[in-house]
Amino acid sequence: MKEKNNLSCRELTLRKTAAFIKKHDNYVILTHSSPDGDTLGAGYALYYGLKEIGKTASVICPDLIPKKYDYFVHETDHVNRETATVIAVDVADKKLLGSLDEVFGDIVDLSIDHHISNTRFAKNLYLDANAAATCEIIYELLSFMRVNINTITAKALYTGLATDTGCFKYSNVTAKTHYIASQLYEFPVDAANINKLMFDTKSKKLLELERMVLDTAEFHFDDKCMLLTVTEQMQEKTGCSGPDLEGIAVISRSVEGIEAGATIKQIGEKTYKVSLRTYPPIDASLICKQLGGGGHIAAAGATVEGELDEVKAKILTAVKNVMEEV
Amino acid sequence: MKEKNNLSCRELTLRKTAAFIKKHDNYVILTHSSPDGDTLGAGYALYYGLKEIGKTASVICPDLIPKKYDYFVHETDHVNRETATVIAVDVADKKLLGSLDEVFGDIVDLSIDHHISNTRFAKNLYLDANAAATCEIIYELLSFMRVNINTITAKALYTGLATDTGCFKYSNVTAKTHYIASQLYEFPVDAANINKLMFDTKSKKLLELERMVLDTAEFHFDDKCMLLTVTEQMQEKTGCSGPDLEGIAVISRSVEGIEAGATIKQIGEKTYKVSLRTYPPIDASLICKQLGGGGHIAAAGATVEGELDEVKAKILTAVKNVMEEV
């Protein structure tokens, strides 16, 4: 059995990370649970890079990998878990290893990540919190190591770059992100098709749910506030749950003139989870504080008990209080 | 009065375009009607560039410029139209000058464009059909001329790049597009805010319409075909028309597993305009040909007469015929 990590985590530079990777072999590369384009893209790009320099490596994901990533996800090597060098990519906390936490959580040799919140659970950490995606870091690492990048590696890296930035839309994008994308476009990555798969394809059940949720739209305070409701019945009827619902809160702030958008998700008979999205000058955290919750300026949440009408009234009062202050 | 163009249009290189611009002065820069981010971004970026080299220039748009572009749209110089050097940016045909066609349509001295369909209506043309946006060309032109780019120029250029590519999502994006974006990010362009304005803000009336249209969703042929309907009543009730409806057709192909999506828009009591979107192996043009229309492999259209139910039946028969062939 491998030794467990002690408490100290050594922070590496890019150069030292490259040296570490060159020195070791028989890698297990771990992605986080509920895998997204960045953790998978980073894991597989690193795998393809390791193969280029003659290493043996296996990519292990705690959950089933969605079929839409098939264009860069392939079978990897068999590696003895007992003696492997373990690398976690895009994993901010060992808990995010999900079902693999028990096996690997305490024996990760190297963590490569871009989350500033990384809990330093690994023996060694290469963290670049300015990177828009872990795939940005893997690109830099492979480039620094002069490792050959081929089309499938480029596809994997592009996927992480695009998915973690809302296709280059969000504030985490930098000059470097676009520069790396321009380098990846030198390969036939077929980015338009990747983007179609990642951004413009939703499940029929989600379309159904969105339809139902839009039917609940209510506007208040001169159309500055919108309420959307997702009942348990809607979730049951469409079969949508958890991750499916994440996109819904975005709708509540997508309408012109809206300053505060609330999505009210039923999680029990008389229990509702409220997700609030606001634009300046409205502070979402001040609204949710009144409801017993908290959060950030632009996004906050609270759990509110009561009948739906009571919950809505409580939210509207809280919104009104904050709107009257500005 | 300026002389009208004769029939021949001279095609310029980038070098000759730069020489033309350096040689002349007192510019009128024309954008196309129903202005979008690319024509406005290109027009104003060119204007700011011309100011940097001491020229006098005026940007003229045939239509009211939407308020959302205020961050780079400012008052420009007053230029005598009679003696001006006229440049059209992102204008593929003089008809697209709208209300300005009569005044300027036949006296455009230089057209800078990326539409392969450009009708060569100007005396001189610099066309780069590989450019994702006319803003890409303007960036290259200003760089070639060693003209200083400042933050407002960068914001204007970024806007064109982003809007003409669906935020770097579509197949017109190249390595060069991302490279230019990376250069523009060297300025504080605040791209995340630009993208929010351009992509994540819709009018309340459009949300209303989308809600109504989603309520009409019908699935056929093992969920491989989706029909959406936009009645005249919906358009009247929400006040949505023409350009507002363009985004709707996209919904019809956004669902997983859909091979053919049809949007049926009522344009008369018993007249419907059908927009078809398909994915391989289904050929949209073959379907619309059966309905008396035509188009391309992935996008085609037809005008169909009859009651809504009859129209739907005709579409479904045409879709079925093509689906059975593949």
Side-chain angles (χ1 to χ4, degrees), chain B residues 142-296:
Chain B
L142 297 179
S143 301
F144 181 84
M145 292 170 72
R146 301 278 186 278
V147 171
N148 184 46
I149 287 179
N150 48 39
T151 300
I152 198 164
T153 319
K155 279 175 188 268
L157 291 172
Y158 179 84
T159 302
L161 247 57
T163 53
D164 254 29
T165 59
C167 213
F168 307 93
K169 211 196 274 178
Y170 302 149
S171 58
N172 57 350
V173 173
T174 65
K176 200 195 272 178
T177 319
H178 276 294
Y179 176 75
I180 295 173
S182 78
Q183 298 297 303
L184 299 175
Y185 260 81
E186 298 295 342
F187 301 88
V189 288
D190 198 5
N193 252 321
I194 293 176
N195 294 331
K196 195 185 84 185
L197 270 170
M198 297 299 144
F199 301 106
D200 290 334
T201 307
K202 62 176 91 178
S203 64
K204 191 185 165 193
K205 65 181 186 178
L206 186 58
L207 188 84
E208 273 289 300
L209 183 76
E210 281 186 11
R211 189 179 68 78
M212 291 178 182
V213 171
L214 284 182
D215 277 339
T216 72
E218 281 179 29
F219 293 85
H220 297 272
F221 311 134
D222 293 331
D223 293 350
K224 288 198 189 87
C225 174
M226 172 152 113
L227 301 186
L228 294 174
T229 309
V230 190
T231 63
E232 276 192 327
Q233 206 191 356
M234 290 176 196
Q235 297 171 58
E236 276 160 28
K237 206 171 164 192
T238 58
C240 287
S241 61
D244 300 322
L245 302 172
E246 274 163 29
I248 300 285
V250 174
I251 302 175
S252 77
R253 58 158 190 191
S254 70
V255 175
E256 222 172 344
I258 291 290
E259 293 178 1
T263 307
I264 308 163
K265 191 177 86 181
Q266 189 174 25
I267 54 170
E269 202 196 321
K270 289 188 182 181
T271 313
Y272 294 85
K273 208 171 160 294
V274 181
S275 298
L276 211 85
R277 297 288 182 275
T278 59
Y279 283 130
I282 307 302
D283 185 336
S285 71
L286 292 182
I287 294 169
C288 287
K289 216 169 152 186
Q290 295 175 65
L291 300 167
H296 306 278

Side-chain angles (χ1 to χ4, degrees), chain A residues 219-264:
Chain A
F219 293 87
H220 298 271
F221 311 134
D222 293 331
D223 293 350
K224 288 199 190 88
C225 174
M226 173 153 112
L227 301 186
L228 294 174
T229 308
V230 189
T231 63
E232 277 192 328
Q233 205 190 357
M234 291 177 195
Q235 297 172 59
E236 275 160 28
K237 207 172 163 189
T238 60
C240 286
S241 61
D244 301 321
L245 302 174
E246 274 164 30
I248 300 284
V250 174
I251 302 175
S252 78
R253 60 158 190 190
S254 70
V255 175
E256 222 170 344
I258 290 291
E259 293 178 1
T263 307
I264 308 163

Side-chain angles (χ1 to χ4, degrees), chain A residues 18-93:
Chain A
F20 180 99
I21 286 172
K22 279 188 183 151
K23 191 176 150 192
H24 296 84
D25 200 350
N26 297 309
Y27 289 100
V28 159
I29 302 167
L30 303 176
T31 74
H32 64 68
S33 56
S34 305
D36 59 15
D38 193 31
T39 196
L40 291 170
Y44 278 87
L46 180 59
Y47 166 77
Y48 294 122
L50 289 172
K51 294 313 290 173
E52 287 286 326
I53 55 171
K55 305 285 187 185
T56 298
S58 172
V59 178
I60 307 181
C61 177
D63 296 321
L64 205 67
I65 298 177
K67 273 187 71 64
K68 64 177 174 177
Y69 299 107
D70 277 0
Y71 60 94
F72 69 79
V73 169
H74 293 297
E75 209 174 318
T76 56
D77 304 332
H78 181 79
V79 171
N80 185 343
R81 294 178 179 205
E82 299 286 312
T83 56
T85 307
V86 181
I87 304 182
V89 287
D90 198 42
V91 180
D93 188 295

